[in-house]
Amino acid sequence: MYKIGDKILYPMHGAGIIEDIEEQSVLGRKKLYYILRMPSDGMKVMLPTDSSDEIGVRFVISRDEGMRVLEQFRKELVPDDESWNRRHRENLVRIKSGDIYQVVSVVKSLMYRERGKGLSTSERKLLTVSKQILTSELVLCGAAGKDDIESIMADCIEEMF
C-alpha cells in the first residue's frame, strides 16, 4: 500500500502525489481511496486502494531513470506504418501497460506521424494523453521541466525530417 506523499503513476492519467487516503462510500460500499493530486493540471483523482495493483499503479521513476527515458526518446525507432485500427489498439495497450518506455514509443511514433502525414482525431487525442502521461512523470521525477521536455521531443522529431 502506498502512503501519503508518495509519487505514483496512474496509467492513462499520469503521475501524481498522494495527498490523502480516505474512506469513501460509493454505491453503498465503503472503500479506501488514494486522493491523488496531478501537478500537471491540479486535478484531484480518487483511486481505490484495493485495485491499484491491477490498474498498474506504480512508483514514479527516479531522476536518473528519467534521464535515460529522455535519451531513449532520442534513440527510439519509429515503427513502419500499419493499419490505423491496429496501430490505435496497440498504442492503447502500450499506454495502459504503465511502462514508461512503451509510452515513449507511442509518443514518438504519433508525433512523427503527426509531423509527416497528420493524425486522425482519435490519434490526436491519444497523442495528447500519452504526452501528458510521459511529461507528468518526467517532471515529477525531476528529469527536466515541462517546457524543456516538450522542446527535446519536438527537436528530436524535427531532426528526423
Side-chain angles (χ1 to χ4, degrees):
M1 191 158 146
Y2 300 101
K3 61 186 185 311
I4 295 171
D6 284 347
K7 296 175 181 178
I8 61 173
L9 178 88
Y10 184 5
M12 295 300 294
H13 293 279
I17 302 168
I18 298 175
E19 286 192 333
D20 202 0
I21 301 172
E22 296 179 358
E23 185 176 71
Q24 296 281 331
S25 182
V26 177
L27 299 174
R29 298 182 67 197
K30 289 187 177 186
K31 282 185 166 186
L32 280 178
Y33 288 86
Y34 296 117
I35 308 302
L36 189 63
R37 182 179 48 82
M38 311 304 266
S40 58
D41 58 9
M43 182 173 66
K44 288 192 179 187
V45 177
M46 289 177 53
L47 169 65
T49 61
D50 62 353
S51 62
S52 62
D53 286 341
E54 64 193 58
I55 294 171
V57 173
R58 63 169 172 75
F59 283 106
V60 165
I61 60 175
S62 68
R63 183 181 187 282
D64 289 343
E65 186 69 20
M67 300 305 284
R68 286 191 288 276
V69 167
L70 285 172
E71 188 57 36
Q72 180 62 33
F73 188 90
R74 290 180 184 98
K75 294 178 183 177
E76 182 74 25
L77 298 175
V78 176
D80 289 338
D81 276 347
E82 41 194 68
S83 76
W84 173 90
N85 211 7
R86 182 175 180 186
R87 186 174 59 242
H88 188 72
R89 245 189 343 262
E90 288 177 2
N91 283 339
L92 277 174
V93 168
R94 287 184 183 114
I95 293 170
K96 288 179 181 179
S97 76
D99 180 337
I100 194 163
Y101 292 98
Q102 293 294 318
V103 177
V104 163
S105 175
V106 171
V107 171
K108 188 163 184 183
S109 66
L110 289 176
M111 285 180 73
Y112 180 82
R113 186 166 185 79
E114 179 182 49
R115 171 66 171 77
K117 299 178 182 178
L119 296 174
S120 67
T121 302
S122 62
E123 281 186 308
R124 205 171 307 113
K125 288 178 185 176
L126 196 58
L127 175 58
T128 300
V129 167
S130 59
K131 278 173 84 173
Q132 191 277 325
I133 291 168
L134 178 60
T135 304
S136 69
E137 185 162 16
L138 291 173
V139 167
L140 207 52
C141 80
K146 184 178 188 273
D147 292 340
D148 292 334
I149 293 165
E150 290 175 354
S151 177
I152 289 167
M153 292 189 302
D155 291 349
C156 179
I157 298 301
E158 210 45 50
E159 289 170 7
M160 296 173 75
F161 281 90

